[in-house]
Structures are given as C-alpha cells and as structure tokens.
Amino acid sequence: MKLDSMYQEIILDHYRNPHHKGLRDAYGAEVHHINPTCGDEVTLRVHLTDPQRGEDALVRDVSYESAGCSISQASASVMSDLVIGKSVAEALKVGDAFLELMQSKGEAEGDEDVLEDAVAFAGVSKFPARVKCALLSWMAFKDAAAQALATTTKETEQ
C-alpha cells in the first residue's frame, strides 16, 4: 500500500468515525471559528485540569461540533486525540509542529513521533486552499486554551 493511500485512509477514517465529537458540559472555554473561504466551522470546548498551573495545566478534554469538508472534520478528530492528556505547553508544541507541516507546501513529511496520525495531512499542505481547512480546529484549540488560562488568571487575581 502506498503511503499516500494509507494517509488518505487515515483521514477518511477520522472523518467517518470522529473522535471526541459532541460538545460536553465540563469546559473552561468555548470558541467558534469559521473558515470564510469555504464555510467550514467548528465550535470547540477545552477543559483543563488545574488551569491555575498555566501552561503546565493538563488538557483534560476537548469536545467539538463542526461542519465542513472531510479534511476539517478529520483534522478536528486527530487534533483532539493528540492534545488530550498533554500539558497545554506540550499540546501547543504539537500544534506548532502541525502548523509547520501545513506551511511546508508539501516539502516536509512531519515527525510521526510528535504528530502521529496528523502526518497524514502532509499532502494537504500542497494545496493552499485546503490548509485553512486542516488548521481550523488547531487554531480553535489554541484560542480556547488561551481563553481558559486567561479566565483562570483573572479569577485568581480577584
């Protein structure tokens, strides 16, 4: 089986059988992001354990509702798998690695030890119009994590 074919299967599997989809009630922040180019959208919730620890806080849960193409849907599933259980700092590093892969214009393969199933999106980076689809949920996670930490900081300061 060719690598590209295997990667397509990973994306289709996450699209057909999304992980962590469905908004759950326990959360520290909720964001809604839209890709105005194609209409993909995601509402994403992040729940952190001990958010007062800042970026050392653990990502306890990520839940989302989304609509859009198979790339954006699969990317949300893969992203949630990758960040749950990591510290916010570790999760953001994984997000940075994914962003670097998406900005590579097909030149990078991605570090499978860091990105796991997310390396399947390497081919997407060759298509600039699709990069935003793949990045939508990752940017939403980054935004929600920052909001969850900022909310905790404000509560602690009061």
Side-chain angles (χ1 to χ4, degrees):
M1 179 182 255
K2 287 180 63 181
L3 194 58
D4 286 344
S5 178
M6 183 181 75
Y7 284 170
Q8 288 174 355
E9 284 301 315
I10 290 170
I11 291 171
L12 287 174
D13 184 50
H14 276 276
Y15 171 66
R16 292 179 184 136
N17 305 295
H19 303 177
H20 312 285
K21 190 166 186 173
L23 295 173
R24 287 181 284 285
D25 287 333
Y27 65 95
E30 177 182 287
V31 298
H32 184 78
H33 283 213
I34 299 172
N35 179 351
T37 307
C38 64
D40 291 348
E41 58 184 280
V42 64
T43 299
L44 185 134
R45 292 179 176 174
V46 171
H47 180 62
L48 304 178
T49 300
D50 299 325
Q52 66 277 6
R53 294 176 54 204
E55 287 196 354
D56 289 333
L58 293 179
V59 179
R60 182 172 181 163
D61 191 31
V62 172
S63 63
Y64 64 94
E65 279 297 332
S66 56
C69 69
S70 60
I71 291 170
S72 70
Q73 302 295 297
S75 186
S77 175
V78 169
M79 179 276 304
S80 59
D81 278 349
L82 283 172
V83 301
I84 293 173
K86 289 184 171 50
S87 70
V88 172
E90 292 169 327
L92 293 174
K93 284 181 186 176
V94 174
D96 290 344
F98 188 74
L99 177 62
E100 185 177 314
L101 177 65
M102 289 297 95
Q103 293 175 335
S104 75
K105 298 180 181 175
E107 299 297 318
E109 294 178 10
D111 183 345
E112 193 170 349
D113 290 336
V114 174
L115 293 173
E116 300 176 21
D117 278 356
V119 297
F121 294 88
V124 172
S125 70
K126 297 175 190 173
F127 305 97
R130 307 307 295 192
V131 168
K132 286 184 180 181
C133 301
L135 286 172
L136 183 65
S137 61
W138 293 83
M139 296 300 109
F141 169 77
K142 187 175 181 178
D143 186 15
Q147 286 185 29
L149 292 175
T151 300
T152 301
T153 302
K154 286 178 189 173
E155 290 172 0
T156 306
E157 291 172 354
Q158 292 178 357

